[in-house]
Amino acid sequence: MEKSLPLHLCHVSKLTLFINRTHTLLHSIAISFLLYYRASFFFQNAISATPKLLILLPWLFISSSELVLSFIWLLGQAYRWRVVTRSVFPERLPGDEKLPSLDVFIFTVDPETEPTLAVMNTVLSVMAMDYPTEKPHVYLSDDGCSSLTLNGLRETWAFAKFWIPFCRSYKIASGCPEAYFSGVEDHVDSDLIGSDEFKTQREKIKAKKKTSNHTRDHPAIVEVMMQDSSSDAVNDKIPLLVYVSREKRPSHPNQYKAGALNVLLRVSGVLSNSPYFLVLDCDMYCNDPTAARKAMCFHLDPEISHSLAFVQFPQRFRNISKHDIYDSRIRSAFSVQWQGMDGQRGPCLSGTGYFMKRLSLCGNRLSNEDADPMKLRQAYGPSNELVASLCSENDKPHVMKNGGDTTSILEEMKLLASCTYEIGTKWGEEASSVGYLYGSVAENYFTGFTLHSKGWISVYCDPPRPQFLGCATTTLNDCLTQSTRWCSGFFDVGISKYCRFIYRPWRVSILHKMCYAELALPLSFFPLWGFATIPQLCLINGIPIYPKVLSTFFVVVSFLFLSAISKHLYERIGLREARFMTTNKVEDDKKEYLYQQGIFDFRTSTMFLGPMVSVIILNAVSFLVGIARAIFIGDLNKMFVQVFISFYILVINYPVIEGMIIRKDNVIKNLKATNVVLKKHGEEAGVDVLACA
């Protein structure tokens, strides 16, 4: 029997492996020499008349900083040890009738911060995917219980009856109406778009395109929008669309997004029960109609399908400026780290843009007829319909979609969405395999971590065309808020009993453990503060802590700096530019203008600005002192590295200096006010402002 062609291929670049591993070896040798240089100091006698303690303390601090930074660097090499890329062949998939059904979970919370129009565009984009019409089922979770969102979804359902047939008839590449009507005509079939029929239909669809009250205390609301059973035309069929607002009560924890995910797992289990589901944030619309088919190239591959939990696509954004001053693309994660983890057991679960196998979160099919009903209820709750869906091998939609009785199934879904349903069950418990896990604000990282620990694998797919496009953070304050939430969630897991090095250590390789540990242990703040303050204070006081320019060890320090910088630039320059689209959803024109011009917006907490301004002042003073010492004392030979560090920090922080001294716009009032406050406190206390550092 002839062997079928593979649905995907995994590529490992030998050149990339050679470069990465050679760099790791050379950099490790240089670090060893640096550590030897540091250790040798503590075995030497005092080398000057300065009291030993004044020399010993800064050496201890800077040695600790270098040791921690070396440890972080070592963990990060696990990403680069075996970098893989993947190619898919959707044309080799079986016929449409053999493709599995697919549930789509979309999440929104507040129509004031997540515009309803953007949510509806995301819903329409996934409904218009190139997938058998009757097999996708779209669920919108509205945690804000907003009538605006519900009414918007009803309008979306009405518009979808015209929009989806139009997309399929003319092979529209982007199913998002806003992206399509923005003026960029991105089509697959160029022969169709020039016809008079196409132009007529396009104007009709454009004419139909339409341009709150939410609460934390409300019952569960479920509304199913069904296709008219009298419609027989294939082009008239559109996917099932379901609105779900889970019950919320002040006396019950809502468990944030993990709780909403588990509700949709249960509700979809009794309605559509698809073996796979796609998770999307409300602003992350589908930019490639073949995204689901690409994911199925992995889930249906006989070699990996039995152990594959999820397929992760990268997060790409349509509102990134050419400067990307806040690194909103998250380039390191989605273009370096996730590819490296794919060479181990797979990337982390990234919160959006992934296709998950339902069995990986809900356990194996309960085909045993002797299964204890009481144990099933303790695990999955009191819903007989949900337990039946887990026991059934049939993943076809519920009879409700075919015009059957709707009352009983609607009541069942409201029960599954109630805030008391999980009491006494295993939903969300850390030790169970039922649903998304609670206990961390980074539920995606925590859940993906435990899936890998249980033996599941994941894959990372990064096609040339972005599969999903969302809105990135474009202000400094939003960027800091987002980063704080991620880091705190990762750190909670990293210091718990689920630390990668001690939790089920036999399940994954040491390299995969290192990848997870590097994410979960954000220790870089310690060496960064050390390098930003200790060499500068020592320079002001005339204490050398780095080798002289004429010393052999100076070559080691220089090599380490150039090695780290060159590797960073190599990975950045090697990244391809994704095709991004501009967006016209601007809530603050001033913020958007500053971001597009590459100008930092310093309207954020003084808790962040205070230390930042102090560090800039300290480095400016130490640099000037270092230049003065070089001119009048002539000790540049032994102080060169410390002078260079101060200069380098000032250069990379030029936008802050610009905001403190040069810029005159209203946006930097917060930064200048912080500067004034620091000086005032210093004068009142009778100390220099540098003490704030």
Side-chain angles (χ1 to χ4, degrees), residues 517-565:
E518 198 271 345
L519 289 171
L521 300 175
L523 303 175
S524 58
F525 72 91
F526 176 75
L528 290 179
W529 275 103
F531 291 129
T533 57
I534 302 301
Q536 293 76 6
L537 293 173
C538 290
L539 177 60
I540 293 173
N541 290 278
I543 302 174
I545 57 173
Y546 285 100
K548 298 178 180 180
V549 174
L550 300 179
S551 169
T552 305
F553 286 102
F554 177 78
V555 178
V556 175
V557 175
S558 301
F559 174 80
L560 284 172
F561 175 78
L562 295 175
S563 173
I565 292 296

Side-chain angles (χ1 to χ4, degrees), residues 96 123-138 160-175 187-189 192 198 205 227 233-240 289 293 401:
D96 287 358
V123 171
L124 286 166
S125 71
V126 296
M127 293 179 72
M129 283 193 303
D130 178 21
Y131 208 68
T133 309
E134 70 282 359
K135 294 190 175 183
H137 318 103
V138 183
K161 297 177 182 178
F162 302 94
W163 173 248
I164 294 174
F166 173 75
C167 290
R168 290 176 176 164
S169 297
Y170 297 101
K171 299 181 180 180
I172 305 300
S174 176
H187 307 279
V188 176
D189 194 333
L192 294 176
F198 166 77
I205 296 297
Q227 178 70 12
V234 174
N235 285 340
D236 289 341
K237 294 181 179 179
I238 59 177
L240 181 74
R293 293 181 181 270
K401 189 176 180 182

Side-chain angles (χ1 to χ4, degrees), residues 150 153-154 157 223-227 239-243:
L150 177 55
L153 197 65
R154 291 168 180 162
W157 174 255
E223 184 171 322
V224 181
M225 298 163 197
M226 298 177 294
Q227 178 70 12
L240 181 74
L241 184 59
V242 184
Y243 173 88

Side-chain angles (χ1 to χ4, degrees), residues 15 26 242 297 307 334 374 388 432 435 493 512 681:
L15 177 61
L26 296 177
V242 184
C297 288
S307 58
F334 295 116
M374 291 300 297
S432 72
V493 179
H512 207 228
H681 285 313

Side-chain angles (χ1 to χ4, degrees), residues 398-411:
H398 192 275
V399 293
M400 182 177 180
K401 189 176 180 182
N402 297 324
D405 177 47
T406 62
T407 304
S408 60
I409 191 64
L410 276 175
E411 292 302 318

Side-chain angles (χ1 to χ4, degrees), residues 44-297:
Q44 297 175 357
N45 296 323
I47 58 176
S48 67
T50 308
K52 291 183 61 177
L53 186 62
L54 294 180
I55 301 177
L56 182 62
L57 286 179
W59 273 76
L60 281 174
F61 277 117
I62 205 66
S63 299
S64 300
S65 297
E66 290 171 347
L67 190 62
V68 172
L69 192 64
S70 300
F71 176 68
I72 296 172
W73 174 85
L74 179 62
L75 293 179
Q77 296 316 294
Y79 298 117
R80 298 161 177 85
W81 193 252
R82 187 175 183 269
V83 178
V84 303
T85 56
R86 298 181 185 271
S87 301
V88 293
F89 307 99
E91 65 277 6
R92 299 176 183 175
L93 286 170
D96 287 358
E97 69 282 354
K98 295 183 180 180
L99 291 178
S101 60
L102 175 70
D103 293 340
V104 182
F105 300 161
I106 302 172
F107 299 87
T108 184
V109 177
D110 187 351
E112 294 180 3
T113 58
E114 299 167 339
T116 302
L117 183 60
V119 178
M120 300 309 114
N121 274 281
T122 299
V123 171
L124 286 166
S125 71
V126 296
M127 293 179 72
M129 283 193 303
D130 178 21
Y131 208 68
T133 309
E134 70 282 359
K135 294 190 175 183
H137 318 103
V138 183
Y139 296 81
L140 177 65
S141 171
D142 177 20
D143 254 15
C145 192
S146 169
S147 59
L148 180 61
T149 302
L150 177 55
N151 290 329
L153 197 65
R154 291 168 180 162
E155 292 293 334
T156 299
W157 174 255
F159 180 68
K161 297 177 182 178
F162 302 94
W163 173 248
I164 294 174
F166 173 75
C167 290
R168 290 176 176 164
S169 297
Y170 297 101
K171 299 181 180 180
I172 305 300
S174 176
C176 174
E178 183 178 6
Y180 174 74
F181 288 113
S182 64
V184 181
E185 294 191 349
D186 192 1
H187 307 279
V188 176
D189 194 333
S190 59
D191 295 332
L192 294 176
I193 64 174
S195 65
D196 293 336
E197 180 185 359
F198 166 77
K199 295 177 180 178
T200 302
Q201 290 297 324
R202 186 181 187 276
E203 291 305 316
K204 288 182 179 180
I205 296 297
K206 189 174 182 179
K208 293 180 180 295
K209 181 176 179 288
K210 299 183 179 293
T211 317
S212 134
N213 56 344
H214 54 284
T215 176
R216 298 178 182 271
D217 188 2
H218 61 84
I221 301 174
V222 180
E223 184 171 322
V224 181
M225 298 163 197
M226 298 177 294
Q227 178 70 12
D228 187 358
S229 59
S230 63
S231 177
D232 296 327
V234 174
N235 285 340
D236 289 341
K237 294 181 179 179
I238 59 177
L240 181 74
L241 184 59
V242 184
Y243 173 88
V244 179
S245 183
R246 58 186 174 130
E247 181 183 15
K248 281 190 175 181
R249 302 298 181 191
S251 57
H252 292 82
N254 61 54
Q255 304 296 353
Y256 306 104
K257 188 177 179 180
L261 280 162
N262 283 337
V263 167
L264 288 194
L265 269 178
R266 297 193 294 267
V267 170
S268 64
V270 301
L271 184 59
S272 53
N273 197 28
S274 298
Y276 305 98
F277 60 88
L278 163 65
V279 174
L280 288 177
D281 287 340
C282 62
D283 66 335
M284 190 70 64
Y285 73 80
C286 182
N287 187 57
D288 186 349
T290 65
R293 293 181 181 270
K294 286 184 172 67
M296 291 306 151
C297 288

Side-chain angles (χ1 to χ4, degrees), residues 1-9 92 301-304:
M1 183 177 179
E2 185 178 354
K3 186 178 180 180
S4 59
L5 294 173
L7 295 175
H8 81 279
L9 292 177
R92 299 176 183 175
D301 190 300
E303 294 186 2
I304 64 172

Side-chain angles (χ1 to χ4, degrees), residues 598 600 602 650-660 663 671:
F600 280 80
F602 292 107
L650 292 175
V651 170
I652 63 176
N653 287 280
Y654 172 75
V656 182
I657 300 174
E658 183 185 33
M660 294 169 58
R663 283 172 55 186
L671 184 61

